[in-house]
Amino acid sequence: MIVFHFAVLYIIYRYMHCFFDTVRVSRGRDLEAYALYLAAVCLVDALPAAPPVKFITDSLFLYLLAQIYHGTQGKKLLAAALIQGMNLFGEALSVYMLYDCKVDGNYGRGMYYIIFLLMYLCERVMEKFCIRNIKEDASLKHWDLLVFLPVISVSVLFVLITFETKSRYIGSAVSAGMICLNLIVFYICDELVGAYIKLKERAIMARQLESYSNQLSVVMRSEEKVRGLRHDLKHHLGEISVLAERGQVHEIAAYVRDMQENLLNEGEYASSGNADIDSLVNLMIERARRELGSVRCRVCVPQELDISAFDWNIILGNLMDNAIDAAKKSEDRLLQLKVHYRKGMLFIELKNSYSGELLRTQERYLSTKDYDRSDESQVHGLGLRNVGQIVEKYNGSMEIDDAGGIFEVRILMYVSVRDKEQ
């Protein structure tokens, strides 16, 4: 029996690694948690308790086991219910298949092999086709309600057992049907999650293309001004020489300032040399300049900073979108952005004014953008959540302060600088 428990533990391990990102969990903590789970299950199995009690206890142990992984409580509850349900369906199906094969009231050890085989096949199908995208934190609204699918399916199975259905065909059909039903529903939901992720990636790519297009226009305007200055440089130098011969120092300074102002590009607010961040910041600040009253921007980062354009778009795109939308509804209409890099640490500070009350829960801020307030499903805070995920990816931290009508986000991330030869 202990060998069978080890076999089931292996299946549970595979399920958990399909549901959750296991990179953040150390191998030692992983082994300790599974060892405790196995000991608890074996202890309960040795006690003279009724099968429903053991089922509920095992489900609770699975839920506790899921706590070592990063994810919402609803997702952990779903994982526990699905694993327990699918394993129970596999056990029930094998029992009904061997219903007429009892010897002295027992099925023999062969039944355990069949149970494990069915559990393993269910896990492989689920892993291969049904929960490929569910590991992503960004998913469907209210997908946690999927927990009711295995719960209801298990309830149907318990009703079947309670009424002591002795027909192996009915029992096998119901058990197999419940397995297929769960697989099909989770496959459909997983496809919807995958479609949502692709739409989000397309939206980010569209903004990235827009920012690159804007940056190209900025560079072309700058290049045009440089060509114009080069063309008239002989005349400018001649005028400066005449002023110098006359000793008109103030006039020379004024003339040089005029030349500098002529070279300034109105659409270029960031010129750090890092194309990814410059293009995005220039695009967003240009929008902020059009819609807000006071806009300040300072960017000082290495040209070869090792952070992808995709991650830049998620961080600055979401933060700047939210900041501009909130600031333009306030009286001050203020926005300040500061991005700088020092000794392997990237600092991002964004401040914006806002008016009214912020919507928030204990865990996160909620969106204050226009939405149908009768539809609670539209209230969400995915922007800051997505930013938080990228910050965690770079082992960073994010602090938020909303005192005094100023919403301030401070981000610290550990980012290296790429070798120029790479």
Side-chain angles (χ1 to χ4, degrees), residues 158-182:
F158 271 123
V159 170
L160 186 71
I161 296 173
T162 302
F163 282 92
E164 298 181 353
T165 302
K166 297 183 178 180
S167 173
R168 61 182 299 185
Y169 301 106
I170 294 177
S172 299
V174 171
S175 302
M178 288 301 173
I179 292 175
C180 294
L181 176 64
N182 281 265

PDB file of all heavy atoms in Angstrom, residues 158-182:
ATOM      1  N   PHE A 158     -20.418  10.353  -5.731  1.00  0.00           N
ATOM      2  CA  PHE A 158     -20.821   9.909  -4.404  1.00  0.00           C
ATOM      3  C   PHE A 158     -22.291   9.465  -4.377  1.00  0.00           C
ATOM      4  O   PHE A 158     -22.650   8.520  -3.686  1.00  0.00           O
ATOM      5  CB  PHE A 158     -20.587  11.024  -3.375  1.00  0.00           C
ATOM      6  CG  PHE A 158     -19.223  11.005  -2.772  1.00  0.00           C
ATOM      7  CD1 PHE A 158     -18.388  12.115  -2.850  1.00  0.00           C
ATOM      8  CD2 PHE A 158     -18.742   9.872  -2.131  1.00  0.00           C
ATOM      9  CE1 PHE A 158     -17.122  12.103  -2.294  1.00  0.00           C
ATOM     10  CE2 PHE A 158     -17.477   9.845  -1.569  1.00  0.00           C
ATOM     11  CZ  PHE A 158     -16.654  10.961  -1.657  1.00  0.00           C
ATOM     12  N   VAL A 159     -23.136  10.173  -5.136  1.00  0.00           N
ATOM     13  CA  VAL A 159     -24.543   9.765  -5.229  1.00  0.00           C
ATOM     14  C   VAL A 159     -24.638   8.385  -5.871  1.00  0.00           C
ATOM     15  O   VAL A 159     -25.410   7.515  -5.432  1.00  0.00           O
ATOM     16  CB  VAL A 159     -25.344  10.798  -6.046  1.00  0.00           C
ATOM     17  CG1 VAL A 159     -26.742  10.262  -6.365  1.00  0.00           C
ATOM     18  CG2 VAL A 159     -25.447  12.107  -5.278  1.00  0.00           C
ATOM     19  N   LEU A 160     -23.822   8.169  -6.892  1.00  0.00           N
ATOM     20  CA  LEU A 160     -23.804   6.865  -7.567  1.00  0.00           C
ATOM     21  C   LEU A 160     -23.397   5.758  -6.597  1.00  0.00           C
ATOM     22  O   LEU A 160     -24.000   4.675  -6.579  1.00  0.00           O
ATOM     23  CB  LEU A 160     -22.840   6.928  -8.749  1.00  0.00           C
ATOM     24  CG  LEU A 160     -22.795   5.704  -9.666  1.00  0.00           C
ATOM     25  CD1 LEU A 160     -24.069   5.597 -10.475  1.00  0.00           C
ATOM     26  CD2 LEU A 160     -21.588   5.798 -10.603  1.00  0.00           C
ATOM     27  N   ILE A 161     -22.396   6.034  -5.779  1.00  0.00           N
ATOM     28  CA  ILE A 161     -21.927   5.028  -4.811  1.00  0.00           C
ATOM     29  C   ILE A 161     -22.933   4.838  -3.687  1.00  0.00           C
ATOM     30  O   ILE A 161     -23.166   3.720  -3.217  1.00  0.00           O
ATOM     31  CB  ILE A 161     -20.555   5.461  -4.251  1.00  0.00           C
ATOM     32  CG1 ILE A 161     -19.512   5.487  -5.389  1.00  0.00           C
ATOM     33  CG2 ILE A 161     -20.101   4.523  -3.144  1.00  0.00           C
ATOM     34  CD1 ILE A 161     -18.173   6.050  -4.968  1.00  0.00           C
ATOM     35  N   THR A 162     -23.556   5.933  -3.255  1.00  0.00           N
ATOM     36  CA  THR A 162     -24.525   5.857  -2.142  1.00  0.00           C
ATOM     37  C   THR A 162     -25.703   4.970  -2.485  1.00  0.00           C
ATOM     38  O   THR A 162     -26.196   4.203  -1.633  1.00  0.00           O
ATOM     39  CB  THR A 162     -25.014   7.278  -1.789  1.00  0.00           C
ATOM     40  OG1 THR A 162     -23.894   8.085  -1.444  1.00  0.00           O
ATOM     41  CG2 THR A 162     -25.997   7.221  -0.628  1.00  0.00           C
ATOM     42  N   PHE A 163     -26.178   5.069  -3.720  1.00  0.00           N
ATOM     43  CA  PHE A 163     -27.317   4.245  -4.129  1.00  0.00           C
ATOM     44  C   PHE A 163     -26.889   2.838  -4.521  1.00  0.00           C
ATOM     45  O   PHE A 163     -27.703   2.063  -5.030  1.00  0.00           O
ATOM     46  CB  PHE A 163     -28.045   4.898  -5.306  1.00  0.00           C
ATOM     47  CG  PHE A 163     -28.941   6.041  -4.884  1.00  0.00           C
ATOM     48  CD1 PHE A 163     -28.467   7.336  -4.873  1.00  0.00           C
ATOM     49  CD2 PHE A 163     -30.237   5.800  -4.457  1.00  0.00           C
ATOM     50  CE1 PHE A 163     -29.275   8.380  -4.470  1.00  0.00           C
ATOM     51  CE2 PHE A 163     -31.054   6.838  -4.055  1.00  0.00           C
ATOM     52  CZ  PHE A 163     -30.578   8.141  -4.059  1.00  0.00           C
ATOM     53  N   GLU A 164     -25.619   2.537  -4.299  1.00  0.00           N
ATOM     54  CA  GLU A 164     -25.086   1.184  -4.490  1.00  0.00           C
ATOM     55  C   GLU A 164     -25.400   0.635  -5.879  1.00  0.00           C
ATOM     56  O   GLU A 164     -25.989  -0.434  -6.040  1.00  0.00           O
ATOM     57  CB  GLU A 164     -25.617   0.227  -3.416  1.00  0.00           C
ATOM     58  CG  GLU A 164     -25.190   0.632  -2.013  1.00  0.00           C
ATOM     59  CD  GLU A 164     -25.702  -0.354  -0.960  1.00  0.00           C
ATOM     60  OE1 GLU A 164     -26.476  -1.251  -1.332  1.00  0.00           O
ATOM     61  OE2 GLU A 164     -25.303  -0.220   0.203  1.00  0.00           O
ATOM     62  N   THR A 165     -25.032   1.433  -6.870  1.00  0.00           N
ATOM     63  CA  THR A 165     -25.219   0.977  -8.246  1.00  0.00           C
ATOM     64  C   THR A 165     -24.257  -0.169  -8.534  1.00  0.00           C
ATOM     65  O   THR A 165     -23.039   0.005  -8.518  1.00  0.00           O
ATOM     66  CB  THR A 165     -24.947   2.138  -9.225  1.00  0.00           C
ATOM     67  OG1 THR A 165     -25.833   3.211  -8.912  1.00  0.00           O
ATOM     68  CG2 THR A 165     -25.166   1.709 -10.655  1.00  0.00           C
ATOM     69  N   LYS A 166     -24.796  -1.339  -8.787  1.00  0.00           N
ATOM     70  CA  LYS A 166     -23.961  -2.523  -8.952  1.00  0.00           C
ATOM     71  C   LYS A 166     -23.656  -2.849 -10.411  1.00  0.00           C
ATOM     72  O   LYS A 166     -22.915  -3.788 -10.691  1.00  0.00           O
ATOM     73  CB  LYS A 166     -24.630  -3.730  -8.295  1.00  0.00           C
ATOM     74  CG  LYS A 166     -24.790  -3.565  -6.789  1.00  0.00           C
ATOM     75  CD  LYS A 166     -25.386  -4.794  -6.151  1.00  0.00           C
ATOM     76  CE  LYS A 166     -25.497  -4.617  -4.633  1.00  0.00           C
ATOM     77  NZ  LYS A 166     -26.082  -5.804  -3.979  1.00  0.00           N
ATOM     78  N   SER A 167     -24.266  -2.087 -11.332  1.00  0.00           N
ATOM     79  CA  SER A 167     -23.999  -2.327 -12.751  1.00  0.00           C
ATOM     80  C   SER A 167     -22.632  -1.756 -13.110  1.00  0.00           C
ATOM     81  O   SER A 167     -22.403  -0.557 -12.981  1.00  0.00           O
ATOM     82  CB  SER A 167     -25.087  -1.674 -13.607  1.00  0.00           C
ATOM     83  OG  SER A 167     -24.735  -1.769 -14.978  1.00  0.00           O
ATOM     84  N   ARG A 168     -21.747  -2.634 -13.529  1.00  0.00           N
ATOM     85  CA  ARG A 168     -20.410  -2.187 -13.876  1.00  0.00           C
ATOM     86  C   ARG A 168     -20.431  -1.264 -15.079  1.00  0.00           C
ATOM     87  O   ARG A 168     -19.591  -0.379 -15.214  1.00  0.00           O
ATOM     88  CB  ARG A 168     -19.502  -3.380 -14.160  1.00  0.00           C
ATOM     89  CG  ARG A 168     -19.970  -4.249 -15.320  1.00  0.00           C
ATOM     90  CD  ARG A 168     -19.069  -5.443 -15.538  1.00  0.00           C
ATOM     91  NE  ARG A 168     -17.701  -5.038 -15.850  1.00  0.00           N
ATOM     92  CZ  ARG A 168     -16.749  -5.900 -16.180  1.00  0.00           C
ATOM     93  NH1 ARG A 168     -17.020  -7.207 -16.196  1.00  0.00           N
ATOM     94  NH2 ARG A 168     -15.541  -5.483 -16.482  1.00  0.00           N
ATOM     95  N   TYR A 169     -21.430  -1.445 -15.963  1.00  0.00           N
ATOM     96  CA  TYR A 169     -21.521  -0.620 -17.159  1.00  0.00           C
ATOM     97  C   TYR A 169     -21.950   0.806 -16.823  1.00  0.00           C
ATOM     98  O   TYR A 169     -21.390   1.783 -17.335  1.00  0.00           O
ATOM     99  CB  TYR A 169     -22.486  -1.258 -18.159  1.00  0.00           C
ATOM    100  CG  TYR A 169     -22.068  -2.650 -18.561  1.00  0.00           C
ATOM    101  CD1 TYR A 169     -22.748  -3.765 -18.083  1.00  0.00           C
ATOM    102  CD2 TYR A 169     -20.967  -2.862 -19.408  1.00  0.00           C
ATOM    103  CE1 TYR A 169     -22.366  -5.052 -18.439  1.00  0.00           C
ATOM    104  CE2 TYR A 169     -20.570  -4.136 -19.766  1.00  0.00           C
ATOM    105  CZ  TYR A 169     -21.274  -5.226 -19.279  1.00  0.00           C
ATOM    106  OH  TYR A 169     -20.893  -6.493 -19.618  1.00  0.00           O
ATOM    107  N   ILE A 170     -22.952   0.934 -15.940  1.00  0.00           N
ATOM    108  CA  ILE A 170     -23.407   2.272 -15.544  1.00  0.00           C
ATOM    109  C   ILE A 170     -22.304   2.992 -14.767  1.00  0.00           C
ATOM    110  O   ILE A 170     -21.992   4.160 -15.020  1.00  0.00           O
ATOM    111  CB  ILE A 170     -24.697   2.181 -14.700  1.00  0.00           C
ATOM    112  CG1 ILE A 170     -25.838   1.639 -15.550  1.00  0.00           C
ATOM    113  CG2 ILE A 170     -25.052   3.548 -14.122  1.00  0.00           C
ATOM    114  CD1 ILE A 170     -27.131   1.447 -14.788  1.00  0.00           C
ATOM    115  N   GLY A 171     -21.721   2.273 -13.803  1.00  0.00           N
ATOM    116  CA  GLY A 171     -20.655   2.883 -13.013  1.00  0.00           C
ATOM    117  C   GLY A 171     -19.474   3.305 -13.865  1.00  0.00           C
ATOM    118  O   GLY A 171     -18.919   4.407 -13.704  1.00  0.00           O
ATOM    119  N   SER A 172     -19.063   2.431 -14.792  1.00  0.00           N
ATOM    120  CA  SER A 172     -17.929   2.751 -15.665  1.00  0.00           C
ATOM    121  C   SER A 172     -18.258   3.915 -16.582  1.00  0.00           C
ATOM    122  O   SER A 172     -17.422   4.811 -16.801  1.00  0.00           O
ATOM    123  CB  SER A 172     -17.548   1.524 -16.493  1.00  0.00           C
ATOM    124  OG  SER A 172     -17.166   0.445 -15.667  1.00  0.00           O
ATOM    125  N   ALA A 173     -19.495   3.932 -17.107  1.00  0.00           N
ATOM    126  CA  ALA A 173     -19.894   5.004 -18.022  1.00  0.00           C
ATOM    127  C   ALA A 173     -19.924   6.351 -17.308  1.00  0.00           C
ATOM    128  O   ALA A 173     -19.444   7.364 -17.839  1.00  0.00           O
ATOM    129  CB  ALA A 173     -21.261   4.693 -18.632  1.00  0.00           C
ATOM    130  N   VAL A 174     -20.474   6.366 -16.094  1.00  0.00           N
ATOM    131  CA  VAL A 174     -20.548   7.629 -15.345  1.00  0.00           C
ATOM    132  C   VAL A 174     -19.141   8.117 -14.980  1.00  0.00           C
ATOM    133  O   VAL A 174     -18.815   9.298 -15.134  1.00  0.00           O
ATOM    134  CB  VAL A 174     -21.410   7.458 -14.080  1.00  0.00           C
ATOM    135  CG1 VAL A 174     -21.317   8.697 -13.193  1.00  0.00           C
ATOM    136  CG2 VAL A 174     -22.859   7.196 -14.458  1.00  0.00           C
ATOM    137  N   SER A 175     -18.298   7.218 -14.498  1.00  0.00           N
ATOM    138  CA  SER A 175     -16.933   7.600 -14.117  1.00  0.00           C
ATOM    139  C   SER A 175     -16.152   8.116 -15.317  1.00  0.00           C
ATOM    140  O   SER A 175     -15.499   9.172 -15.253  1.00  0.00           O
ATOM    141  CB  SER A 175     -16.205   6.412 -13.489  1.00  0.00           C
ATOM    142  OG  SER A 175     -16.897   5.938 -12.352  1.00  0.00           O
ATOM    143  N   ALA A 176     -16.210   7.366 -16.435  1.00  0.00           N
ATOM    144  CA  ALA A 176     -15.500   7.796 -17.636  1.00  0.00           C
ATOM    145  C   ALA A 176     -16.079   9.103 -18.169  1.00  0.00           C
ATOM    146  O   ALA A 176     -15.339   9.980 -18.644  1.00  0.00           O
ATOM    147  CB  ALA A 176     -15.572   6.706 -18.698  1.00  0.00           C
ATOM    148  N   GLY A 177     -17.400   9.251 -18.082  1.00  0.00           N
ATOM    149  CA  GLY A 177     -18.037  10.480 -18.550  1.00  0.00           C
ATOM    150  C   GLY A 177     -17.601  11.694 -17.746  1.00  0.00           C
ATOM    151  O   GLY A 177     -17.368  12.776 -18.306  1.00  0.00           O
ATOM    152  N   MET A 178     -17.481  11.519 -16.423  1.00  0.00           N
ATOM    153  CA  MET A 178     -17.037  12.626 -15.580  1.00  0.00           C
ATOM    154  C   MET A 178     -15.587  13.012 -15.885  1.00  0.00           C
ATOM    155  O   MET A 178     -15.228  14.194 -15.885  1.00  0.00           O
ATOM    156  CB  MET A 178     -17.186  12.251 -14.108  1.00  0.00           C
ATOM    157  CG  MET A 178     -18.628  12.204 -13.638  1.00  0.00           C
ATOM    158  SD  MET A 178     -19.435  13.789 -13.876  1.00  0.00           S
ATOM    159  CE  MET A 178     -21.115  13.378 -13.439  1.00  0.00           C
ATOM    160  N   ILE A 179     -14.754  12.016 -16.150  1.00  0.00           N
ATOM    161  CA  ILE A 179     -13.368  12.306 -16.519  1.00  0.00           C
ATOM    162  C   ILE A 179     -13.329  13.107 -17.818  1.00  0.00           C
ATOM    163  O   ILE A 179     -12.650  14.149 -17.908  1.00  0.00           O
ATOM    164  CB  ILE A 179     -12.570  11.002 -16.668  1.00  0.00           C
ATOM    165  CG1 ILE A 179     -12.396  10.312 -15.310  1.00  0.00           C
ATOM    166  CG2 ILE A 179     -11.198  11.277 -17.292  1.00  0.00           C
ATOM    167  CD1 ILE A 179     -11.715   8.964 -15.382  1.00  0.00           C
ATOM    168  N   CYS A 180     -14.071  12.653 -18.818  1.00  0.00           N
ATOM    169  CA  CYS A 180     -14.092  13.346 -20.108  1.00  0.00           C
ATOM    170  C   CYS A 180     -14.665  14.754 -19.972  1.00  0.00           C
ATOM    171  O   CYS A 180     -14.171  15.700 -20.591  1.00  0.00           O
ATOM    172  CB  CYS A 180     -14.903  12.548 -21.125  1.00  0.00           C
ATOM    173  SG  CYS A 180     -14.158  10.958 -21.574  1.00  0.00           S
ATOM    174  N   LEU A 181     -15.728  14.905 -19.165  1.00  0.00           N
ATOM    175  CA  LEU A 181     -16.342  16.214 -18.968  1.00  0.00           C
ATOM    176  C   LEU A 181     -15.342  17.208 -18.378  1.00  0.00           C
ATOM    177  O   LEU A 181     -15.214  18.350 -18.851  1.00  0.00           O
ATOM    178  CB  LEU A 181     -17.559  16.087 -18.059  1.00  0.00           C
ATOM    179  CG  LEU A 181     -18.267  17.402 -17.688  1.00  0.00           C
ATOM    180  CD1 LEU A 181     -18.848  18.054 -18.936  1.00  0.00           C
ATOM    181  CD2 LEU A 181     -19.380  17.147 -16.659  1.00  0.00           C
ATOM    182  N   ASN A 182     -14.623  16.789 -17.350  1.00  0.00           N
ATOM    183  CA  ASN A 182     -13.627  17.662 -16.738  1.00  0.00           C
ATOM    184  C   ASN A 182     -12.514  18.013 -17.721  1.00  0.00           C
ATOM    185  O   ASN A 182     -12.089  19.171 -17.804  1.00  0.00           O
ATOM    186  CB  ASN A 182     -13.035  17.002 -15.490  1.00  0.00           C
ATOM    187  CG  ASN A 182     -13.938  17.119 -14.277  1.00  0.00           C
ATOM    188  OD1 ASN A 182     -13.802  18.017 -13.465  1.00  0.00           O
ATOM    189  ND2 ASN A 182     -14.877  16.194 -14.139  1.00  0.00           N
TER     190      ASN A 182
END
